[in-house]
Amino acid sequence: MLLKIGYFALISQVPVKTLRYYDEIGLLPAVQVDAFTGYRYYNTEQLPRLNRILALKDLGLSLEQIALLLDKNLSNEQLVAMLQLRQAQLQGDVAELQAQLGRVEVRLKQASEGHMTNYEIVLKTVKPMLVASQRMIVPTNDQVPTYLGNAYDAICKHMAAHNLKTAGPCLTVWHSLPQMENEDVEAAFPIDREIPSSESVQIHRLPEVYVASAVHQGNFDEFTQAHAAILKWVEANDYQLLEQYREIYIAGPNENAGVSTTEVQFVVKRNG
Amino acid sequence: MLLKIGYFALISQVPVKTLRYYDEIGLLPAVQVDAFTGYRYYNTEQLPRLNRILALKDLGLSLEQIALLLDKNLSNEQLVAMLQLRQAQLQGDVAELQAQLGRVEVRLKQASEGHMTNYEIVLKTVKPMLVASQRMIVPTNDQVPTYLGNAYDAICKHMAAHNLKTAGPCLTVWHSLPQMENEDVEAAFPIDREIPSSESVQIHRLPEVYVASAVHQGNFDEFTQAHAAILKWVEANDYQLLEQYREIYIAGPNENAGVSTTEVQFVVKRNG
DNA sequence: TTGCTCCTCACGTCACGTGAGGTGGC
DNA sequence: TTGCTCCTCACGTCACGTGAGGTGGC
């Protein structure tokens, strides 16, 4: 009893196009193909295989995995392993979607309350970065600009002495959250090859970090608004601040008609 | 200050390929393109837009939606509407993945306990079906075969009288779950055009149903194993039986060397 | 001159769906 | 003869990633 594809589609409730596709990739070949017309013929004994395909697909396995399972008749352990893999994937996917749902809901609340966000907070991973830097404790906060200025000068000199140019915008790494005095600060320039450290300038690799970041453009004074925006976001989205943040001086005011661009990155981690 | 794509990629932490793609689709055009070399140039003022793109992408919006949001400057209500849509999608996705995870875990438990499943249970929606049928109450269960036989004969005669052929395998619809006596049974043939009903044969449309199904092949006696397999699956996966099931006689024993093929479909619904 | 950066195709991804254009079978 | 079913391309999907092969800039 050979069945034409349309009838086989009818009894199996699977679209003709899908059956043709499964034939094409060899997952469920037609039992017979007319050499002249190209008509595919099926029979009812293929239903169990088709149903096995559908059942496994319903667990989210790929057709490639299903083909493996059905044709290499894998051991039970291998089936278990494949299902465990899928389970882990699904758990990850669910967690991710729920986190995303959380972010959508926070944003939705903001939007429906009419708060305009001035800053977009972006989560990202910052790769490890080779830098020439100087790290110091600054006794009082009003001394920070002077200290940083001196540090950048010293680093530049050291780099120039080794004939090295910066490989990106310079940055400041704050090794503790903002405080009133004795800030632990590191002034740094990214570089793209190793040179020796000097007494005052260290060459080392900043670690990879996961950050919540915002870009501030315009007046340098309004800079702390970007900080505030990140802190608010971090709280609303149930993330946790870790003890470091960075400021990256992407463009100075002299480069861009008085408008400077700075990125603030707070190292964070997801709660729970 | 024009920045080459590589440097812009560096400070934004977005791959060059992605920047080129966003330029190509017009989502984030380079501010300037060299007519001769084709080099793309960016500037730091594009960072906020890029960050907005990344932040919205992080909520799972498509680039097309993001382009709409950024360029048509939509009203706040439209933003809210878009986020609500996304929220609903995400909730649906999460629910679906969790259900799938549940099915994977049931299957995993079976597999690791070494139970081989003889039947694959498949969930599907069965489209409404136009049938010629006869519905009856059968006093005692041993009379079922006789009653059904007579009913199919009557339906066939009626169809022949209207010069109509069956449009698929015949089926039995059980309008209550299995019981000891007074079964409410309907014998039916699918047809593909309307003909008048007669006194004993009704022409009507079976409703669309969502079913858990299994295909049984082989001896007709072992048929109830398929029932048992579905019932077990339904229980393990936290579905609920509704008051109907169907048997579809896909191939009789005479067509296939003594092996018959029958599909059992229990109408179900997801719990909770 | 040598790398390095940038460029443009073209193809692959996953599981089909959607036509276009044409032929066999009752 | 007329529909109906079946066929084979070819293209689209979504957001890029991966080469291949070639050129500009220091």
Side-chain angles (χ1 to χ4, degrees):
Chain A
M1 270 300 289
L2 293 175
L3 311 175
K4 284 199 284 183
I5 198 169
Y7 191 74
F8 193 63
L10 177 72
I11 60 175
S12 65
Q13 305 265 17
V14 172
V16 168
K17 290 279 183 175
T18 302
L19 291 176
R20 277 206 272 261
Y21 181 62
Y22 290 173
D23 177 50
E24 190 187 326
I25 64 172
L27 183 58
L28 184 78
V31 284
Q32 195 179 311
V33 178
D34 186 298
F36 181 56
T37 64
Y39 276 33
R40 294 169 179 82
Y41 293 97
Y42 295 84
N43 64 35
T44 54
E45 276 129 77
Q46 296 182 280
L47 280 176
R49 183 178 172 94
L50 180 52
N51 282 327
R52 233 168 295 148
I53 292 169
L54 297 178
L56 294 170
K57 203 158 77 80
D58 203 37
L59 303 179
L61 299 184
S62 71
L63 299 186
E64 199 178 343
Q65 289 176 307
I66 295 172
L68 268 179
L69 279 178
L70 297 187
D71 294 331
K72 304 292 171 191
N73 51 3
L74 296 189
S75 71
N76 205 47
E77 284 96 58
Q78 285 169 302
L79 170 62
V80 167
M82 202 176 264
L83 290 178
Q84 281 171 338
L85 177 64
R86 180 64 190 146
Q87 183 188 28
Q89 274 177 2
L90 277 170
Q91 286 165 344
D93 291 356
V94 166
E96 180 144 347
L97 284 191
Q98 277 172 338
Q100 195 174 74
L101 183 55
R103 291 195 298 273
V104 168
E105 281 165 352
V106 167
R107 187 93 182 206
L108 195 50
K109 200 172 151 204
Q110 274 179 20
S112 51
E113 284 172 359
H115 293 320
M116 285 310 280
T117 45
N118 292 316
Y119 297 95
E120 292 293 340
I121 313 301
V122 177
L123 288 170
K124 58 186 173 185
T125 301
V126 179
K127 295 282 156 205
M129 196 189 297
L130 185 68
V131 295
S133 77
Q134 196 177 92
R135 183 167 171 176
M136 60 214 132
I137 306 286
V138 184
T140 65
N141 285 7
D142 54 357
Q143 293 170 299
V144 167
T146 319
Y147 272 65
L148 280 180
N150 292 338
Y152 284 119
D153 286 347
I155 300 166
C156 277
K157 240 182 237 165
H158 184 67
M159 284 167 62
H162 289 85
N163 203 17
L164 188 60
K165 282 203 207 140
T166 177
C170 67
L171 63 154
T172 306
V173 181
W174 306 78
H175 287 279
S176 53
L177 293 177
Q179 53 195 53
M180 285 307 135
E181 50 184 18
N182 293 321
E183 295 264 20
D184 180 355
V185 190
E186 180 174 3
F189 272 103
I191 55 181
D192 48 18
R193 64 179 165 81
E194 301 244 8
I195 55 173
S197 296
S198 76
E199 218 171 302
S200 60
V201 177
Q202 286 81 48
I203 307 300
H204 70 123
R205 206 171 284 277
L206 291 177
E208 176 171 303
V209 283
Y210 186 63
V211 303
S213 89
V215 170
H216 174 78
Q217 297 219 55
N219 203 319
F220 220 77
D221 306 344
E222 297 155 358
F223 191 72
T224 48
Q225 293 179 7
H227 285 239
I230 298 180
L231 297 183
K232 199 172 146 193
W233 187 96
V234 163
E235 193 172 353
N237 285 276
D238 205 28
Y239 275 72
Q240 213 185 105
L241 290 179
L242 300 184
E243 295 262 304
Q244 185 183 111
Y245 66 103
R246 301 178 179 184
E247 286 168 9
I248 297 158
Y249 309 109
I250 294 173
N254 34 350
E255 295 170 54
N256 226 329
V259 175
S260 63
T261 303
T262 313
E263 180 177 353
V264 191
Q265 301 177 334
F266 277 85
V267 179
V268 295
K269 131 183 148 174
R270 208 186 277 177
N271 261 339
Chain B
M1 270 302 288
L2 293 175
L3 313 174
K4 284 199 285 184
I5 198 168
Y7 191 75
F8 194 61
L10 178 72
I11 60 175
S12 65
Q13 305 265 15
V14 172
V16 168
K17 290 282 182 175
T18 302
L19 290 176
R20 276 206 273 260
Y21 181 61
Y22 290 173
D23 177 51
E24 189 188 327
I25 64 173
L27 184 57
L28 184 78
V31 285
Q32 194 180 312
V33 178
D34 185 296
F36 181 54
T37 65
Y39 276 34
R40 292 168 179 83
Y41 292 97
Y42 295 83
N43 65 37
T44 53
E45 275 130 77
Q46 296 181 280
L47 278 176
R49 183 179 172 95
L50 179 51
N51 282 327
R52 232 169 296 148
I53 292 169
L54 298 178
L56 293 169
K57 202 158 78 80
D58 203 38
L59 304 179
L61 299 185
S62 70
L63 298 186
E64 198 179 343
Q65 289 176 308
I66 295 173
L68 268 179
L69 278 177
L70 296 186
D71 295 331
K72 305 289 171 194
N73 52 3
L74 296 189
S75 70
N76 205 47
E77 284 97 56
Q78 286 169 300
L79 170 62
V80 168
M82 203 175 263
L83 289 178
Q84 281 171 338
L85 176 63
R86 180 64 191 147
Q87 183 187 27
Q89 275 176 2
L90 276 170
Q91 286 165 344
D93 290 356
V94 166
E96 180 144 344
L97 283 191
Q98 277 172 339
Q100 196 174 73
L101 183 55
R103 292 195 298 272
V104 169
E105 281 166 351
V106 167
R107 187 94 183 205
L108 195 50
K109 201 173 151 201
Q110 273 179 23
S112 50
E113 285 171 359
H115 294 319
M116 286 310 281
T117 44
N118 293 316
Y119 295 95
E120 292 294 340
I121 312 301
V122 176
L123 287 170
K124 58 185 171 185
T125 301
V126 178
K127 295 281 156 206
M129 196 189 296
L130 184 67
V131 294
S133 77
Q134 196 177 91
R135 181 167 172 175
M136 60 213 133
I137 307 287
V138 184
T140 66
N141 283 8
D142 54 358
Q143 294 169 300
V144 167
T146 320
Y147 272 65
L148 280 180
N150 292 339
Y152 283 119
D153 286 349
I155 301 167
C156 276
K157 241 183 235 163
H158 183 68
M159 282 165 64
H162 289 85
N163 202 19
L164 188 60
K165 282 202 206 140
T166 176
C170 67
L171 63 154
T172 307
V173 181
W174 306 79
H175 288 278
S176 52
L177 293 178
Q179 53 195 53
M180 287 306 136
E181 51 183 18
N182 292 322
E183 293 265 19
D184 180 356
V185 189
E186 180 174 2
F189 272 103
I191 55 181
D192 48 18
R193 63 179 165 81
E194 300 245 10
I195 55 173
S197 296
S198 77
E199 220 171 300
S200 60
V201 176
Q202 285 81 48
I203 307 299
H204 71 123
R205 205 171 284 279
L206 292 177
E208 175 171 303
V209 284
Y210 187 61
V211 303
S213 89
V215 169
H216 174 78
Q217 295 218 60
N219 201 319
F220 220 77
D221 305 344
E222 297 155 358
F223 191 72
T224 48
Q225 292 179 7
H227 285 239
I230 298 180
L231 297 184
K232 199 172 144 193
W233 187 97
V234 162
E235 194 174 350
N237 284 277
D238 205 27
Y239 276 71
Q240 212 185 104
L241 289 178
L242 300 184
E243 295 262 304
Q244 187 183 110
Y245 67 102
R246 302 177 179 186
E247 286 169 9
I248 298 158
Y249 309 108
I250 293 171
N254 34 351
E255 294 170 53
N256 226 328
V259 176
S260 64
T261 303
T262 314
E263 181 177 353
V264 191
Q265 300 177 336
F266 277 85
V267 179
V268 296
K269 131 183 147 174
R270 205 186 280 177
N271 261 339

